[in-house]
Each structure stands twice: as C-alpha cells, then as structure tokens.
Amino acid sequence: MHEKKIEEELGPTAEMQLGEPPNVQQMAKDADLGGRTTEGWIGAVMMALGLAWVAFQLWYASPVPFALGWGVFNDTEARSIHLATALLLAFLAFPALRSSPRDRVPALDWIFAIVGAFTALYLIIFYRELALRPGNPTPLDVAVGIAGLLLLLEATRRAVGLPMTILAVVFLAYVMAGPYLPDVIAHKGASIPRVVSHMWMVTEGVFGIALGVSVSFIFVFVLFGSLLDRAGGGNYMMQVSFALLGHLRGGPAKVAVVSSALNGLISGSSVSNVVSGGIFTIPLMKRAGYGGVKAAAIETSSSVNGQIMPPVMGAAAFLMVEYVGIPYSDIVKHAFLPAVISYIALFYIVHLEALKLGIQPAARERDRTMRDRLVSWGLGISGTLIACAVIYYVALGAKALFGDGAPYVLGLLLTLLYVHSVRVAAKQPDLPTEIDVKNPVLPPTWPTVKAGLHFLIPIGVLIWCLMIEELSPGLSAFYGVLAQLLLMASQRPLIAAFRRSGDAGAQFVVGLRDIVNGCNEGARNMIGIAVATGCAGIIVGAITLTGLGLRMTDFVEFVSQGNVLAMLLFTAFVCLVLGMGVPTTANYILVATLMAPVIVELGAQSGMVIPLIAVHLFVFYYGIMGDITPPVGLASFAGAAIAKENPIAVGIQGSVYAIRTVVLPFIWIFNPALLLINVHGWFEALLVAFASTVASLLFAAATMAWLRTRCRWWEVLLLLAATFVLFRPDWFADRIAPEYTDAPASQFYEVAAKLDEGDRLVFVIAGQTLEGEERNKTVALRMGPRVDDPNPLAAARKRLAEAGMAVSGMGEMLQVTNVRFGSTAAKARIEQGFEIVGVKVPTDRINAHWFYIPGLLLAALIWWIQGLRMRREAAPAAA
C-alpha cells in the first residue's frame, strides 16, 4: 500500500525516485519473514506452526508452569523444541534459491523440514539414554548429529545468508584439520564422534548459551515488537516524530533519526527499520534536497544505530547478561549514554548537512507565535514529567500500602489509565498510515501525541518490570506482551464505543485478527534469529573445543606488539569483518566469544584495567557496523534500493556519518566514565553526560568541517582538541597524578573491605599459564555490597566470596585458591593459583572533571570566532 501511494503521488518518475519500493519490500520480507507465500493451505500450516511456537514460548516465559507445578521444561528441552520449530519453519518459509517456487513447498524442503525438526528433538526423545552415555555417542547419535549440523547450516544459508554459513564451515574445518595446520594455530584435532557429541549432544555447541538466550529472552522481545508494530505503535512513533520535527530545516532527515531511535527501542532488525521508515523518509529527504546517496545513508545510519539503543539492543543486551555476569539493569545503564549521544550527534550531523546544502523546511509550519510555541511545549513537557512522576510514586505507594495485594491494585489503576488514554485518543482524528511525500502537511503536535498515548502503556509495563521491579528479562517481556495483547484486543472496540460508531463488535474481530497476524509475524521474524544463534553455537563450540581463544590472544599480541591502541584497532577490524552479513545477535555472539577475551587479557598484561562490560560493548559496536560498511552492508543495500542509488556509495557515505559512533568505543575503553562506571551520584552523571554530548557534537562538526559556518583547517584541529579534552579529562589528570598508587599485597584485604559497592578492586596477580608461560597482569573485580563486620579480614573475604573468589595466606603471601565458574571473578579473568603481588589504592588526585572547563572554553572560542567571521562576511552583502 505504501509503494502504490507513493507512486501515485510522485507520478511516472516514482520508480526512479524510489528505487522500485516493491523490490525493497520483498528484500525485507525475504530477509526477515522468508519469501514463501502465506496464502492457501501452506500458509495455514506455517501460521499454525508459528502460533504454536508463540504459545510454547509464552508458556515457557510465564510463571504459570511453576505455579501449577506442571509443564515445566528444563533448559535442554526448551532449546530442543525452540530449534526444532525454527528448523521446521525455516525450510517451509525460506526457499532454497531465488528461482525456487514461492507459492508451494517442494517435496525436498518438506523432507529437510521434518528431518531437521527430528534431529533437534532427538535430545528430548532420547534424553535419558544420552544422559547415561555422556561423551560416548552411538552410531545413531553420530548420524543424527551430522544430519542436524548439515541441515542447520543449510537453514542458516537460507534464513541468514551465505557469509555466516561459510564462517561456520570454516570453524568446523578448523576443528577437523587441527594437526595439519601451521604451528601458530595448530591443535590436536578431534574425531567426528567427538565433534558431533560436542556440537549436538551437549550444551557446549549448538544447544549452548546463545540458543538458550534466544529461547528465554529474545523470542518474547521480538514478539513484543511485532505486536506493537501491528497494533499501530510503529506508525504512531513515525507520525509523532513528523509532527515534532517536520517543520525544521532538514526536517525529514531529523524525522528519520528520531523515529529510528524510537523504533530501535524494540526493533531487532536493521533492514526492517530501514524499509519501514525509509519508504517515507528517503523520498522526503530527496525532495528536500539531500540527494539520494545522503538520504539513504542517513536512514541507514539511523536504523543501524537502533541496534545499540537499550533496552533490546538487537537482543544483544540479554546475551551480555550471560557473558558479562551483571544484572540486566546495569547493562542498560552502561549502554544508555553512548547510544543517546550517538543519536544526538547524528541529529546534529543532518542539521549541518541541511545548513551546508541550504535546505529549507519541507513541510508548511503551523502559523503560531513564539509565545504560543513556548506555552505549548512548556505545558506538554511539564505535563509529561508530572504524569510520569505521579505514576511512579502512586505505584510505590500502592506497594507500600497493600504489600502482596499491590499487583491487583496496580492492575486496576493501570486499566483505568489505559481506558482514559483510549478515551483521549478517541477524541482525536485517526492517525494517517502514511506521509504525503508530495505535499507534506505538518500535523498538530499534541493532538498527534494524544492519539496514541495508550501505545506507551505496554512499553511502560516492560520497562517498569525490567528496571524498577528488576524481574528477569523473559518474565518482564511476558508481562509486556500480555499488556500488548490486551491492548490489541480492546483498543478498537473501546474507540468505537467512545465514538458511538456502533461497530464495536466488528472492531473486536479486527483486533483479534491483528493479534493473530502479529503473533505470526513475530514467529516468522524469529526464524532467522533462532537459526543464527544455533549456528553461532557451532562457532562457539569450535572455539571451546580447540582452545582457539588462547591462540587468538597470542596472535593479536604478536600483531600489536603489546601496544594497546594497535590491539584495539586490529580487534575492531576483525569485529567489522566478522560482522559483515551476519545479524546483530549472531555477530555479537561471534565477536564476544572470539575477541572480547583477547582485549581483557592483553589489557591486563599491559597493566591496563578494562571493565568487562566496556570490552563487550566495544566488540558489539564494531560488529554491527558491518550492516553499514561496504561491500556487504545489508542495511545500506536496503536504503540504496529505496533511493535508487549505488549501494557502495551509500555504504561509504553511511560510514562517514558513523564515524561519530565508531570513536565512542575507544573513548570508553580508556575512560569508562562514558559508560557511567565509577560515576557517583546524579550530579556527576549529569556532568559526564553533558560534557560527552558536547564532545560528540564538536567531533561531528569537525568531521563535517562545519560549525556555524564552514570551518578552516585550524578550526577543525581546535574542534578535535576540544573534543579530546571533553572526552578524556582523565588523560590530563593522569599527567598530574596517577589514579592509583601501588601498595603491597599485605593491604589487599584492607582495601577490599573499604571499597564502596560498585567500585573496582584493582590488583596485580602473577603466575604460570597452562602453557607454562609466566604472566603478570592487572585485574579488576567489581565489588558487591559492603559487609557489616568490624573485622576487615572477615568482611573482605565475604565480599570476595560473593564475587566468586577465594584467597588464602596472610601478609605478602597471598594466593588465589579458588575462582568459581561463571562468577564475576572468572569473567574478570582472575586465574586460580596465581599469587597476588600488589594492590592498587585510589589516590586523592585532582578531580578530572575540572578539565571540562578549558574544553568548553575552547569550543566557545571557536563559536565566537566563526560568529565574527559570519558578521564580517554579511556586512558587505548588506551594504
């Protein structure tokens, strides 16, 4: 419908202007849902399977099985059912080749689907037998495992793409060819039965952590996003963005940035984000004067940035919980500021592009005085803040007053709030489902906002459960999905009732149809993700089976020659290459398994303390940049197809825009304050956020060579200098005094007992690795709550035990005697048997934040100089 509407409005040149949107829609459909038709009996079968999958996942995520004591699935059973359904649907929904039929399923695909499902269910069918013979597979086990691996690789090729399939095959070949490889990467190899057992029959390979996260968390979040979009939430975000920003200079580009940020809150696909928003914003940007390449690059950069936006982050946030070992709320806290300032910088970049190109507002601005605008914005913002505060404190008050009965009271209050918001929406005109790209008219802001306030309630439920109640991500998403289902079933009939249109019954049927279609789309969206996480398990299994991670550390150390910056640059390049053509979730699994331990280990050996979450966010950011960078960037291809431009040119321009995001990981590796690590109190957090935002804007201005006007070369250098001062005030503080002073190991317990919760215990350990090499490295352990014990020794040992670490000895002779598997200490690369040779004590040096002042003054100087130049240049013209 979007394509037909746009073509009608743009006339016969629509195909050239839009780049054949139907093909773009097919690209998105093939990438996310599979190219097979959903009509006829085949479509009915796939829909039935998808709905059954949704029902199973909601049952697994809900607390109902535990309340009933029936229908509780263990991890292996749930992962087996999850992958079996994904393989079954993958061969039914995704054709083998471009020339394969779309309107029917060939017999061979039916065979692949059924056999693939059986190989995944084999772990349930023969669960008892497999448990009795661990590591000793029978010929039937080997045959089933080989068939399962081959079919998983084929399903990955169809649903995810050839690059990831090739990567998995390379890792399998590496496992088998170990003894015949060069010494630097050689290993003893493994037999076929051992490989099959490791990859398929236990939870070290395909059925490992990655697939477990897909089962537990990712599915319900993807389902939540699909239901919200089907209910109208995605269109609501687009219309609100247009109402707020459409009248500005370069408005369509700013709409693309903001709407992509909002969609990124719940979206898991860069390509879908490009297509759903770009079908409107790219033509509008072209009409405004950005040109096809820049328009596509802006939409692509905006959409890919959605993958770094909490709370979902392309589902990588839930994987980080498992890999990093910290609560989900902490993951969101650390990832929030870089994502927000990256979007603010992109918003500023498109504004600078509009200034450089002389672009004027595309939509006619509403005829209002400045006073009316200020009053409207003031009332709207203050009203929103007051409403949020009232909801927050009412909820806390209900919990305090009613105790265990609070959920029922809150449920009633939430229902009343929902009914009221729908009543408000019913008084507004229905939101249009598209934007008139030929003659865009700015809709009124607050009526547009009020027309969909009820869409925010399920999002609010989700965020409340995650951040305030601190429920598990899976259970939080379940309650969010439950709220979304109730909304979809009731919003249409309620609006009809409030408008007294007399068709509430018919609208209820439409709502139920939306629920079914939304659930089906959610299941279809999950096929590729589930298959990708399963295939990523092959790569993870190969790394654990061969010890490749240790060899990668040695290799990177050899390449970088011990230089931390060279190591980071090389790691970033590897992550970028590995991320090309691989979905967000899968490429994070890949780079986190292969490259994250390398940075932690080599940083520790060089005496540099790098927080584990900083490392994982580093590899995550560079992994998703593969969606932009040529020659494989899928999001760039989608944007280029809409704009009818060269994908390589779009990818290059998008990479230029992405520089402001690319530099952030290097900043937080050296200055973790950007991730709000070791930041105490709201004032310090706001100070860091302000300075980092200004730094990002200055860097964007430097890369665009434009601040108030075109920058001269020395102004660009000064902007970069100001950027460095604001991003790295710690560098200047370190020149005056170090952050830590060295203390003997005898002070280890005393320092461990005194640190505040969330602070890092930094110390030096030394010992011999499994390869017989002597290592001396600096490690940091994130401390938990302080222990109320007058004895510092007892208090320190309790805190260390909570972190998963035991230390024996007294005085200078301290040794790490135990590191609990999967604990915070294990994830910090603290090794059992190593001696503690020293501890780092925080110093009372000058506060690094004082250096923000010269950075801001330097930026103000450049602003003032350019203002003078602009006035001088304007004076002759006025005369």
Side-chain angles (χ1 to χ4, degrees), residues 665-720:
F666 282 90
I667 301 300
W668 70 59
I669 288 291
F670 293 99
N671 180 22
L674 185 60
L675 302 180
L676 301 181
I677 294 174
N678 285 345
V679 171
H680 304 284
W682 279 103
F683 177 76
E684 187 176 2
L686 291 174
L687 189 62
V688 170
F690 171 75
S692 300
T693 302
V694 173
S696 189
L697 296 177
L698 295 176
F699 182 76
T703 58
M704 301 291 291
W706 194 287
L707 186 61
R708 299 178 71 178
T709 184
R710 189 175 302 278
C711 295
R712 294 171 179 171
W713 65 269
W714 55 270
E715 290 175 332
V716 171
L717 293 179
L718 290 179
L719 285 173
L720 292 175

Side-chain angles (χ1 to χ4, degrees), residues 8 37 138 167 185 249 397 422 448 455 544 551 565 567 612 615 673 735 802 811 822 833:
E8 287 175 353
T37 180
T138 65
L167 201 58
I185 57 172
R249 186 191 293 265
V422 173
T448 302
F455 291 124
T544 58
R551 290 176 178 80
L565 186 59
M567 172 195 71
L612 188 59
V615 175
R735 306 285 78 78
E802 285 293 324

Side-chain angles (χ1 to χ4, degrees), residues 638-872:
I642 297 174
K644 195 62 176 179
E645 296 290 349
N646 186 321
I648 302 300
V650 171
I652 293 172
Q653 183 66 56
S655 299
V656 172
Y657 291 149
I659 292 175
R660 96 274 171 208
T661 302
V662 168
V663 300
L664 293 178
F666 282 90
I667 301 300
W668 70 59
I669 288 291
F670 293 99
N671 180 22
L674 185 60
L675 302 180
L676 301 181
I677 294 174
N678 285 345
V679 171
H680 304 284
W682 279 103
F683 177 76
E684 187 176 2
L686 291 174
L687 189 62
V688 170
F690 171 75
S692 300
T693 302
V694 173
S696 189
L697 296 177
L698 295 176
F699 182 76
T703 58
M704 301 291 291
W706 194 287
L707 186 61
R708 299 178 71 178
T709 184
R710 189 175 302 278
C711 295
R712 294 171 179 171
W713 65 269
W714 55 270
E715 290 175 332
V716 171
L717 293 179
L718 290 179
L719 285 173
L720 292 175
T723 300
F724 183 80
V725 174
L726 293 174
F727 266 144
R728 290 293 316 279
D730 58 301
W731 187 87
F732 297 93
D734 289 342
R735 306 285 78 78
I736 298 174
E739 184 178 4
Y740 297 99
T741 56
D742 294 325
S746 57
Q747 296 185 26
F748 178 78
Y749 289 122
E750 179 184 351
V751 175
K754 288 183 177 179
L755 289 174
D756 293 330
E757 180 180 358
D759 285 349
R760 295 182 297 168
L761 174 63
V762 184
F763 55 101
V764 182
I765 58 176
Q768 194 174 76
T769 66
L770 295 175
E771 291 77 22
E773 297 180 0
E774 294 293 333
R775 290 283 190 232
N776 187 300
K777 59 183 185 179
T778 304
V779 295
L781 185 65
R782 185 175 182 271
M783 302 303 290
R786 298 187 69 170
V787 175
D788 187 15
D789 194 314
N791 185 347
L793 177 61
R797 284 182 168 168
K798 289 177 182 177
R799 299 186 77 182
L800 294 172
E802 285 293 324
M805 173 183 171
V807 177
S808 65
M810 295 294 292
E812 301 290 337
M813 303 296 293
L814 298 179
Q815 185 179 48
V816 180
T817 54
N818 184 46
V819 177
R820 191 170 67 246
F821 178 78
S823 65
T824 304
K827 290 178 168 60
R829 311 289 286 183
I830 299 172
E831 300 192 42
Q832 185 172 320
F834 275 46
E835 293 184 2
I836 299 173
V837 298
V839 62
K840 304 282 188 178
V841 181
T843 61
D844 292 328
R845 67 174 185 178
I846 184 174
N847 193 318
H849 299 325
W850 284 110
F851 292 96
Y852 289 148
I853 295 175
L856 293 171
L857 289 175
L858 183 56
L861 175 63
I862 305 167
W863 183 273
W864 178 71
I865 290 172
Q866 289 202 350
L868 288 179
R869 188 163 72 247
M870 290 172 66
R871 285 193 288 273
R872 285 197 304 267

